[in-house]
């Protein structure tokens, strides 16, 4: 792949070219020259005037259905959705059938994703079969390519299991990812507990269900001296606890789902099951705390929590509908619309491209000469409408179809490949 990108504004806190409007010449997947007025014959030219270029983005909370649930999403359609959303790498949660609970499943995913523009990095389970009983063979999975460990959308209820998992993983530098929910408190409720749940006559999930587990896991991380990552935090109390833990010097990191930064639980008044997610959409006070947490560094990364479902799992009564949004293609506009007055553009890029890789111990791409081209080209001002026909994901369970969005990824470059998205 030989490509000349013209007049792009570079956004990369780690680059000496940060903030400059320059051309980038890419040959055979390597950035060979960065400067003004570069000319080269026989190469594809991309005019990036008025657009930004950053290190390629990474989403560290994504679910595909491969293996076993390919009718929801397979690796091919998932990677297409990721590229359309501006991502050059995704970390896959083990919510498959069978789960990613041994080296065989990890190697299967790695082999399925070979040759893709998008780097697909599997997350192994904490417990065997995600049953929350016995620890999985985490070290073996690490040797096969697992980048972290989580039971995905199944929280670890057994404190002893979580403690032993932290101890085991820390022995070889592994990372445990906690989805914090006390299932006994959340019970079978379907939305956030508050005025809206009372108005709708629906049982609510209190913030306590999340905050109690955050507190437990922080104590366990402190006791074991282990590093721990919280995924999709959603409450002000959780943010406060994580902030306090970091001040104590604990190795705690966290991410937030993009939809939790924009939507509050009042959108459920229409009983649209595409807004049904877990953790549930919270209230405006929680949203403010999440944004403040991103701004001050308490929350490190923004994720999609991409959760694809077939139509029969969503177009049913709200009570019985499955949880989740297909979010890979809308992460950036949601972040841009919710935080454009809160976060600098550099901070947005940090949460999307740099921090996820730092958390997972991966090499962070940088915009420099003679470096591998791992890049995302995007526009913060472009307004567009998401249509079902343009969605690359196999599943269409998103509440943003037909909605006007602001901000879009226009191209991704990685692994000597170049993909442009639809304007």
């Amino acid at each position: 792949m030989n490509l000349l990108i013209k007049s792009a504004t570079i956004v990369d806190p780690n680059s000496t070219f940060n903030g400059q409007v320059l051309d980038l010449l890419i040959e055979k997947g390597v950035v060979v020259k960065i400067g003004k007025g570069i000319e080269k014959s026989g190469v594809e030219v991309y005019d990036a005037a008025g657009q930004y270029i950053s290190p390629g983005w990474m989403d560290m909370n994504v679910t595909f259905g491969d293996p076993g649930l390919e009718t929801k999403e397979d690796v091919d359609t998932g990677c297409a959705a990721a590229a359309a959303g501006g991502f050059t790498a995704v970390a896959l949660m083990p919510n498959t059938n069978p789960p990613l609970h041994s080296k065989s499943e990890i190697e299967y995913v790695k082999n399925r994703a070979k040759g893709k523009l998008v780097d697909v990095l599997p997350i192994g389970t904490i417990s065997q079969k995600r049953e929350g009983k016995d620890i999985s063979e985490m070290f073996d999975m690490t040797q096969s390519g697992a980048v972290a460990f989580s039971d995905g959308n199944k929280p670890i209820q057994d404190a002893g299991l979580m403690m032993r998992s932290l101890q085991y993983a820390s022995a070889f530098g592994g990372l445990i990812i906690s989805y914090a929910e006390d299932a006994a408190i959340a019970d079978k409720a379907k939305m956030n507990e508050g005025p809206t749940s009372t108005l709708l006559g629906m049982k609510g999930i209190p913030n306590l269900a999340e905050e109690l587990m955050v507190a437990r896991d922080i104590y366990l991380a402190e006791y074991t001296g282990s590093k721990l990552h919280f995924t999709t935090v959603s409450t002000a109390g959780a943010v406060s606890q994580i902030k306090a833990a970091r001040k104590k010097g604990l190795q705690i990191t966290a991410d937030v789902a993009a939809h939790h930064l924009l939507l509050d639980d009042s959108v459920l008044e229409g009983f649209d099951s595409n807004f049904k997610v877990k953790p549930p959409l919270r209230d405006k006070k929680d949203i403010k705390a999440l944004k403040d947490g991103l701004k001050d560094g308490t929350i490190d990364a923004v994720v999609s929590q991409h959760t694809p479902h077939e139509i029969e799992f969503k177009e049913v009564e709200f009570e019985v509908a499955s949880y989740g949004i297909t979010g890979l293609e809308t992460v950036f506009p949601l972040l841009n619309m919710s935080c454009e007055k809160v976060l600098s553009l550099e901070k947005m890029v940090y949460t999307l491209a740099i921090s996820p890789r730092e958390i997972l111990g991966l090499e962070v791409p940088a915009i420099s000469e003679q470096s591998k081209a791992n890049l995302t080209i995007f526009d913060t001002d472009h307004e567009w409408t998401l249509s079902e026909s343009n969605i690359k994901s196999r599943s269409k369970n998103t509440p943003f179809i037909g909605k006007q969005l602001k901000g879009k990824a226009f191209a991704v470059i990685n692994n000597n490949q170049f993909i442009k998205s639809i304007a």
Side-chain angles (χ1 to χ4, degrees):
M1 177 200 70
N2 297 322
L3 175 68
L4 177 59
I5 301 169
K6 299 288 290 183
S7 303
T9 301
I10 295 172
V11 184
D12 180 3
N14 296 331
S15 174
T16 57
F17 300 106
N18 185 41
Q20 301 180 53
V21 180
L22 298 169
D23 304 340
L24 288 83
L25 177 62
I26 300 169
E27 294 180 349
K28 297 180 180 179
V30 175
V31 180
V32 296
K33 189 174 182 181
I34 301 175
K36 289 184 178 291
I38 298 174
E39 299 295 336
K40 181 77 173 181
S41 60
V43 300
E44 182 178 355
V45 177
Y46 181 93
D47 183 4
Q51 297 179 349
Y52 298 94
I53 189 165
S54 75
W57 302 342
M58 178 178 185
D59 190 336
M60 60 183 296
N61 186 325
V62 173
T63 295
F64 293 169
D66 202 351
L69 302 170
E70 292 88 352
T71 53
K72 296 180 184 291
E73 193 89 275
D74 61 25
V75 171
D76 295 332
T77 59
C79 286
F87 294 97
T88 62
V90 295
L92 290 191
M93 285 294 177
N95 310 330
T96 51
N97 185 25
L100 308 183
H101 64 164
S102 75
K103 63 180 183 180
S104 297
E105 289 80 26
I106 299 298
E107 290 169 359
Y108 167 81
V109 169
K110 296 286 287 184
N111 288 330
R112 272 289 279 120
K114 276 184 179 177
K116 301 290 186 187
L117 180 149
V118 177
D119 298 321
V120 179
L121 307 167
I123 295 171
T125 62
I126 292 173
S127 68
Q128 293 179 21
K129 300 181 181 179
R130 290 203 304 151
E131 292 178 344
K133 297 177 181 178
D134 301 308
I135 295 176
S136 64
E137 291 295 336
M138 289 190 277
F139 181 71
D140 278 357
M141 287 191 281
T142 296
Q143 298 294 97
S144 296
V147 294
F149 304 95
S150 170
D151 271 6
N153 56 7
K154 289 187 175 182
I156 301 294
Q157 299 300 304
D158 187 323
L161 175 66
M162 178 59 90
M163 181 187 73
R164 292 187 293 274
S165 300
L166 287 164
Q167 291 172 323
Y168 181 22
S170 67
F172 56 87
L175 176 68
I176 296 293
I177 298 176
S178 170
Y179 166 55
E181 180 192 80
D182 188 307
I185 292 176
D187 198 21
K188 297 179 181 179
K190 308 298 180 182
M191 65 174 294
N192 180 54
E193 181 182 84
T196 303
S197 65
T198 302
L199 174 68
L200 299 179
M202 295 178 63
K203 186 176 180 181
I205 301 174
N207 288 14
L208 178 65
E210 179 171 316
E211 292 160 8
L212 194 62
M213 293 296 270
V214 168
R216 184 201 75 173
D217 289 350
I218 287 173
Y219 276 119
L220 292 174
E222 183 174 19
Y223 177 79
T224 59
S226 307
K227 57 184 179 180
L228 176 67
H229 179 78
F230 289 102
T231 191
T232 63
V233 296
S234 68
T235 76
V239 174
S240 178
Q241 291 181 77
I242 293 167
K243 186 174 185 178
R246 292 175 71 128
K247 281 185 177 180
K248 290 176 67 175
L250 301 186
Q251 301 176 78
I252 304 292
T253 53
D255 67 56
V256 60
H259 46 265
H260 281 120
L261 295 169
L262 185 69
L263 303 172
D264 65 78
D265 59 0
S266 66
V267 298
L268 296 177
E269 291 178 10
F271 293 100
D272 183 348
S273 64
N274 282 318
F275 288 110
K276 185 178 179 181
V277 293
K278 211 172 190 186
L281 300 176
R282 303 292 187 180
D283 64 25
K284 289 181 172 62
K285 291 180 182 178
D286 293 307
I287 291 176
K288 183 181 184 305
L290 294 170
K291 292 178 181 179
D292 290 344
L294 273 174
K295 186 176 182 180
D296 68 22
T298 302
I299 299 175
D300 305 87
V302 176
V303 300
S304 68
Q305 200 187 20
H306 180 79
T307 308
H309 288 298
E310 302 93 333
I311 190 171
E312 60 266 27
F313 287 88
K314 276 294 190 177
E315 291 199 8
V316 292
E317 294 83 356
F318 189 90
E319 283 283 334
V320 298
S322 297
Y323 296 99
I325 287 175
T326 52
L328 272 166
E329 296 168 68
T330 54
V331 170
F332 180 68
L334 299 192
L335 174 62
N336 186 48
M337 291 189 297
S338 62
C339 293
E340 61 179 337
K341 295 180 181 179
V342 178
L343 303 179
S344 67
L345 192 54
E346 282 188 4
K347 185 68 171 180
M348 287 190 196
V349 167
Y350 179 78
T351 65
L352 288 172
I354 298 171
S355 187
R357 292 181 171 93
E358 290 179 340
I359 291 167
L360 295 172
L362 304 172
E363 181 180 356
V364 177
I367 298 178
S368 61
E369 292 183 342
Q370 304 309 316
S371 65
K372 176 186 174 184
N374 185 340
L375 305 163
T376 299
I377 300 172
F378 63 100
D379 187 331
T380 57
D381 296 321
H382 182 75
E383 295 185 354
W384 58 291
T385 301
L386 180 67
S387 65
E388 185 171 341
S389 61
N390 288 342
I391 293 175
K392 299 296 184 182
S393 173
R394 174 161 289 161
S395 299
K396 319 296 180 186
N397 53 296
T398 170
F400 299 106
I401 292 175
K403 301 292 193 299
Q404 189 175 55
L405 305 173
K406 182 181 178 183
K408 183 170 178 58
F410 277 97
V412 285
I413 301 142
N414 190 32
N415 296 330
N416 199 22
Q417 298 174 59
F418 174 50
I419 295 178
K420 291 183 284 188
S421 66
I422 299 170

